[in-house]
Structures are given as structure tokens and as C-alpha cells.
Amino acid sequence: MTSNHSGRGKSRRNAAAPIQGKPQKKTVPMNSERGQGQLRAGTGNGSASGSEQERERKTSEKGRGSHRASRGGRSQDASNRNRVSAERTDLPVQKNDEAVMDIIGMNHDGEGVGRVEGFTLFVPGALPGEKVRIKVLKTKKQYGYAKLLDIVQASPDRIAAPCAIYDQCGGCQIQHMSYEAQLGWKRQYVVDVLERIGKLKVEGNEGSIAGEQATLKVLPTLGMNEPWRYRNKAQVPIGVTEGGLVGGFYARGSHRIVDMDTCLIQDERNDEVVARVKEIGRTLGISAYNEETGRGLLRHVVVKTAFRTGEMMLVLVTNGRDIPHADAWIGSIREHIPHVASICQNVNTKRTNVIFGDETRVLWGRDVIYDYIGNVQFAISARSFYQVNPVQTEVLYSKTVEYAGLTGKETVIDAYCGIGTISLFLAQHADQVYGVEIVKEAIEDARSNALLNNMRNVKFEVGASEDVIPAWKEQGITADVIVVDPPRKGCDPRLLETILEMKPERVVYVSCNPSTLARDLRILEDGGYRTLEVQPVDMFPHTVHVESIARIERLKD
């Protein structure tokens, strides 16, 4: 597992600031009224609340610095440094200061947000509604980061995180918040982003501008009855310590691998397979890959479990093709883990953090395992993408079909079809479905899955949606409904233009990033569409991630 926290640069201290190691303590109750209107419960400070804004700022500063250098502007640089330094002396807090403040929000990284004398601080581990004592770790011009020292007044939503390694891992960010509160926060986060970025007015939201008509409903987040052990895929990095082979997670903020026996959001069978592989590896003297030297064999252990069929796939990602004692390893795995239907090897010899290499071969069994989402069967290969939470995937796709409003007569385009999961769901209720995906291997899987389910009313094509869909239009193919399920960066601008030109009656937008969803909805709204309803779905309990589905209809001419 990896942490979602981005790296943060060192803060610059002024000579007049307290000496490091002798922190100046401040007990400053936060003025909760100041800036309250800018910071609602679902978000942090919109101007500087997360890693995206920080990356954009760094890029901008880098560009400005290059421009100054090209002009030989050393004196200008010195002037800017002095000006920044002077500004920093005016900050209400400095590095190592301590303060007491109220937490009035939580940003998209799951960090509590509060202010000391109007200065915004982000505090990992703090929850909205709490009064906390903090120590300032870093300060920037408009905001800073602090460590939670003590909870003066706890939120009623606070619980003890059940995971023993929760504070070290970073794979989950909000286990310390009750599940009911998690669902409420995720809905409010979607609401706030839709209003702040998309300029959409949400029905019933207190933050809406008075007197403006709100037509958009954001429904309560659809959660899980059992929000644990939901992941069907484990990707575990392998390393070595003095005690031998280890595998688990990267320690927060580093690439040091910490051994782990169990993960409470992984299927227990995945834990069992990973533990067995590590045990066998230690017994056989298998070496672990070393990122610094580029030597060692075993890089990752990947396990996929089919929830409905119970079949399992094990993928050994290796730094080279030869596996010492391969027969003994395979025999031991088969003996102790009878549900494993496929044992594969993926070869990755590149000096990279990317898990998979280009070559995959079967060591034993089949090259795929099979699982179902609803009534649709899917073949899952070593490298094919498949939703990691199959229970909630069925909820997500069922809602997608509902929003598509299919009667059996419609032509549907699935603009980011992947291996055809949504396309095949839609094909059960539509006349014809066209799926497009830029990844060739995914389209091959999609076609195989269509044949597997004997669905002949689906056509898949390789290419960029913004290129393929206009070509289809020239061939006379027009869509009644277009479904998009883009990556986190959202829809390509040309695809949005294509949708506006094609003018389907309905658009269904499946999103894994509320910010880019809001941005794209604004474009569609300006182009003659109206967003009627958004349904958040909790695909990843105990993390800050939230999936959303938007129902969008074209306004009548």
C-alpha cells in the first residue's frame, strides 16, 4: 500500500523566529468565525488545500524562476527572497510553535483543517468539530502543516482505528472516523466541489446562494453493509531485512518496506496467499529486489481473488526470467492454497516504480480466472483492469444503467470502456452498445468478454474517444446515450466537444474524482445540458476516495 500524501518542501525560517529545538509555545484558541464561510465541512481551503494545487504552484514558480534566469535577474531573485522572508515574519505561527485550535473542516487528503489567527493549518488525524493542540511542522505563505499532539475535545465521530498499523501505513486515511460519518463527509465533499468548481447549485445545501434556484440533487452516499475485507486484489512490494524476505507496505514518506501479515480492507484469502509466498520464498532462499542496486529477484506479489467463483490468481513479478526452485515453489503453493487456479510470472527488469513489465507467462494453470458482476461473467488476466471492490461495483453499474434510462431501443456509446465491464452491463438493456478504449489489450479483453457472455450487440474499437466517436458519427452512428468513465484527470476536452456536437439525449458520467467531474459538468451545462442528480458511491471505505455518478440530460431546443 502507498500513502496518498504528497511530498512537501522545507519551510524557510526567519532569523527572528524561535530557535529550533526550543519551540515557542502558543496557546491560541482559533477564531472559528474568521473565514468560516470559505471553508465548509467537506473541504479544506480551496486556494491551497491539496497536492494538485501545490504541484501547479511549483510548476508556476519554476517557470517564473527560469524566466528570471534568462534575463540574468540575480538581483531580482535576491529581492524576492528578502520579500518572502519579510512576509514570513508576519505569520501568526512559525515552525515548532504549539497552539490550540478548532478543526472546522477536512480536506480531500483527509487532513483536518483549522486556523490560528486566520492562518490555515492542515492537521493529519484531526476531525471536524474537534479542539486540538498542535505543533507547527511547516509554513508556507498562505497555509501550513501541523502535527496533532493532543485532542482537547474529541468529535463524536471519532473511533479507535481497528488496524494495528494504521498510523504507519497511509493506505487508509480515515479509519479513525465512524463509517456513518465517512459517508456523510464524502457526500458533502462532492457537494462542495460541485458548487465551488462547477458553479452548480445543489438542492438543500446551506452553502447555496440565497434566491438562486437549485435543480441538482446530490443523494446520500451508497455505502457497504460490511465495509471491511472488500478488496479483491493485493499488490505487495517485496523487500529484505536481516530476518529475511518481507512484504507489506511502504512506510509513509519512504520506500522502506515494512512487513505486514494482514490488511483489514483486503480479502483474507489474499493475506493468506501473500503470507505463504513469503514463507516459501524464505525457505527457498529467494532474493528480493533492491531498488537502489537493481539486483535481486522478487519485486511484487500480486494476488487476485474472484469473489463469486472463489478462483484465485497469483502473479510473481520478477527482475528476470529465471526463477530458482520454480517447481518446488509452484508445488508448495498448489499444496497449501488449493483455490489458486492460475500462477503467473511477470518479468520487469526496468529501474522503475511501475509494478508490471511487458512480458507475462503462465507458470501453472490458466492464464485467466473468472468472476461475475451481476449476471455478466468476466475473464480476468494478470494485467487486466478489474474493479477492486466487486460488491460496490455492482451497485455502481446498476445505478449507471438506471441513469441511462434504457428501454431496449437505444444506441449507447461507452467512451472509456476498459475491458468492457460497463459496456456489457449496458448491453443487457440496450439495442446496441459501442465501446472505445485507447489501450489495445483492454479492447482485446473486452471482445473476449463479449464472446464469453454471447453478447452480439456490442462493438469495441481501439483508439481515443475524441477520434473514434466522430468517425462513428460520419458512418451514421449516433448515440441516444453516452456513458463516460474517465481517469482521474477527467474527460479530454475534445471528447466533451464531441458530446456537445453529437447531442445525445442523456449523458451518464461515472467519476473517480469530484473535482474533474465538477469541471466537466460545467462545460456540459454551458453547452446545453442540465445535471439533474449525482449519486456518490463508496467504493473504497476508510479512504478519502469517492466515486460518483451524474445523470445529465439535454435541454430541449
Side-chain angles (χ1 to χ4, degrees):
M1 279 182 241
T2 58
S3 171
N4 288 323
H5 295 286
S6 60
R8 286 151 183 161
K10 294 180 179 179
S11 60
R12 182 182 300 157
R13 290 189 54 196
N14 184 273
I19 298 174
Q20 189 167 353
K22 297 181 180 179
Q24 175 185 357
K25 295 186 179 181
K26 291 186 179 182
T27 302
V28 186
M30 199 202 83
N31 183 352
S32 59
E33 293 181 359
R34 182 179 295 180
Q36 187 81 23
Q38 300 176 20
L39 207 141
R40 295 190 289 271
T43 62
N45 187 334
S47 64
S49 62
S51 57
E52 278 189 286
Q53 292 91 335
E54 180 64 9
R55 283 194 296 272
E56 291 172 359
R57 185 192 63 78
K58 288 179 179 177
T59 302
S60 176
E61 287 185 351
K62 183 178 180 181
R64 290 198 297 269
S66 300
H67 183 57
R68 286 195 299 266
S70 68
R71 295 183 301 167
R74 288 188 179 181
S75 61
Q76 182 65 41
D77 281 345
S79 174
N80 285 344
R81 282 196 299 269
N82 291 335
R83 179 168 54 83
V84 170
S85 179
E87 289 173 347
R88 296 263 168 121
T89 61
D90 295 335
L91 295 180
V93 293
Q94 299 290 330
K95 183 178 178 180
N96 291 327
D97 282 357
E98 293 184 10
V100 173
M101 68 178 191
D102 295 327
I103 302 298
I104 58 172
M106 192 164 77
N107 69 6
H108 68 268
D109 285 327
E111 299 166 331
V113 184
R115 292 195 178 101
V116 174
E117 297 181 15
F119 185 74
T120 299
L121 289 170
F122 301 115
V123 188
L127 293 177
E130 293 187 327
K131 185 182 290 292
V132 297
R133 186 167 62 89
I134 55 92
K135 179 178 181 179
V136 179
L137 300 179
K138 299 175 183 178
T139 59
K140 296 181 180 293
K141 183 177 179 180
Q142 294 179 331
Y143 59 95
Y145 302 94
K147 177 182 179 181
L148 177 63
L149 297 178
D150 187 35
I151 300 171
V152 178
Q153 182 177 338
S155 164
D157 297 323
R158 176 173 290 278
I159 62 171
C163 178
I165 56 173
Y166 174 58
D167 292 334
Q168 304 170 56
C169 175
C172 298
Q173 301 84 38
I174 49 176
Q175 272 194 26
H176 59 293
M177 178 185 255
S178 72
Y179 189 56
E180 182 180 0
Q182 290 181 33
L183 297 179
W185 173 78
K186 289 184 178 186
R187 178 193 177 274
Q188 189 61 44
Y189 174 52
V190 172
V191 168
D192 290 346
V193 170
L194 290 175
E195 293 210 325
R196 178 168 54 87
I197 296 176
K199 309 304 178 186
L200 300 167
K201 302 307 167 189
V202 178
E203 187 176 290
N205 187 42
E206 294 179 0
S208 296
I209 298 175
E212 293 200 17
Q213 184 68 31
T215 60
L216 170 59
K217 291 183 179 179
V218 177
L219 302 177
T221 307
L222 294 176
M224 301 187 71
N225 293 329
E226 180 49 57
W228 300 100
R229 299 292 187 181
Y230 59 83
R231 289 185 62 93
N232 59 11
K233 180 176 72 172
Q235 297 182 149
V236 178
I238 300 299
V240 66
T241 64
E242 294 179 359
L245 208 67
V246 297
F249 62 94
Y250 291 116
R252 185 171 293 180
S254 78
H255 265 220
R256 179 176 59 87
I257 297 174
V258 178
D259 203 25
M260 176 181 64
D261 295 323
T262 187
C263 172
L264 297 183
I265 62 173
Q266 286 286 353
D267 187 280
E268 291 172 300
R269 292 167 291 185
N270 292 352
D271 284 343
E272 178 188 356
V273 173
V274 172
R276 183 64 63 179
V277 169
K278 289 191 293 185
E279 180 183 329
I280 295 168
R282 291 168 187 146
T283 302
L284 298 178
I286 300 298
S287 62
Y289 177 72
N290 186 308
E291 285 187 347
E292 295 181 0
T293 65
R295 298 177 180 176
L297 179 66
L298 189 58
R299 299 176 68 129
H300 278 81
V301 173
V302 179
V303 186
K304 299 185 177 186
T305 298
F307 277 23
R308 290 271 290 274
T309 66
E311 293 182 344
M312 302 185 73
M313 171 182 283
L314 168 64
V315 186
L316 304 173
V317 183
T318 58
N319 180 39
R321 219 169 182 273
D322 296 331
I323 300 179
H325 315 293
D327 291 340
W329 202 345
I330 293 168
S332 183
I333 291 169
R334 291 181 59 194
E335 176 185 353
H336 293 98
I337 313 168
H339 291 300
V340 171
S342 171
I343 303 176
C344 298
Q345 177 192 14
N346 177 267
V347 181
N348 184 1
T349 58
K350 298 178 181 178
R351 300 286 288 268
T352 175
N353 291 331
V354 176
I355 294 176
F356 285 110
D358 296 329
E359 180 187 1
T360 302
R361 60 177 182 147
V362 177
L363 300 178
W364 176 85
R366 302 194 304 261
D367 62 344
V368 297
I369 58 175
Y370 296 97
D371 202 7
Y372 288 85
I373 300 176
N375 297 321
V376 183
Q377 188 178 22
F378 293 95
I380 306 163
S381 64
R383 296 188 60 188
S384 64
F385 172 78
Y386 188 70
Q387 290 279 9
V388 300
N389 186 338
V391 174
Q392 290 296 85
T393 297
E394 187 167 349
V395 172
L396 185 79
Y397 290 176
S398 296
K399 198 70 180 179
T400 302
V401 170
E402 176 190 329
Y403 280 179
L406 303 178
T407 65
K409 300 178 181 179
E410 292 81 8
T411 296
V412 183
I413 291 178
D414 183 1
Y416 295 89
C417 69
I419 66 170
T421 47
I422 291 181
S423 299
L424 298 182
F425 241 67
L426 294 165
Q428 299 174 97
H429 308 278
D431 178 57
Q432 183 69 42
V433 175
Y434 295 88
V436 55
E437 169 63 53
I438 200 166
V439 180
K440 179 183 177 182
E441 293 80 5
I443 288 295
E444 291 172 355
D445 286 343
R447 290 168 178 162
S448 297
N449 286 324
L451 290 174
L452 182 65
N453 290 276
N454 196 30
M455 291 186 179
R456 305 187 184 279
N457 62 333
V458 189
K459 177 184 177 181
F460 295 105
E461 189 164 331
V462 178
S465 301
E466 53 273 15
D467 297 326
V468 173
I469 295 175
W472 281 341
K473 185 178 180 182
E474 290 181 4
Q475 299 169 24
I477 299 170
T478 57
D480 302 296
V481 181
I482 292 181
V483 176
V484 297
D485 184 8
R488 290 189 61 80
K489 65 180 181 180
C491 290
D492 186 280
R494 288 193 297 148
L495 173 59
L496 295 173
E497 292 174 7
T498 300
I499 292 173
L500 295 178
E501 290 173 4
M502 187 171 274
K503 296 182 178 179
E505 290 298 316
R506 290 178 296 283
V507 177
V508 182
Y509 194 129
V510 182
S511 167
C512 61
N513 184 348
S515 295
T516 52
L517 168 66
R519 179 201 68 198
D520 293 346
L521 288 181
R522 181 70 267 155
I523 294 171
L524 293 174
E525 293 250 341
D526 291 342
Y529 283 82
R530 183 68 65 240
T531 309
L532 300 179
E533 194 167 279
V534 172
Q535 175 64 75
V537 179
D538 191 22
M539 296 288 287
F540 309 102
H542 312 297
T543 78
V544 292
H545 302 295
V546 56
E547 206 96 357
S548 302
I549 318 163
R551 179 164 69 95
I552 309 152
E553 293 188 359
R554 187 166 67 90
L555 296 174
K556 301 301 180 184
D557 295 330

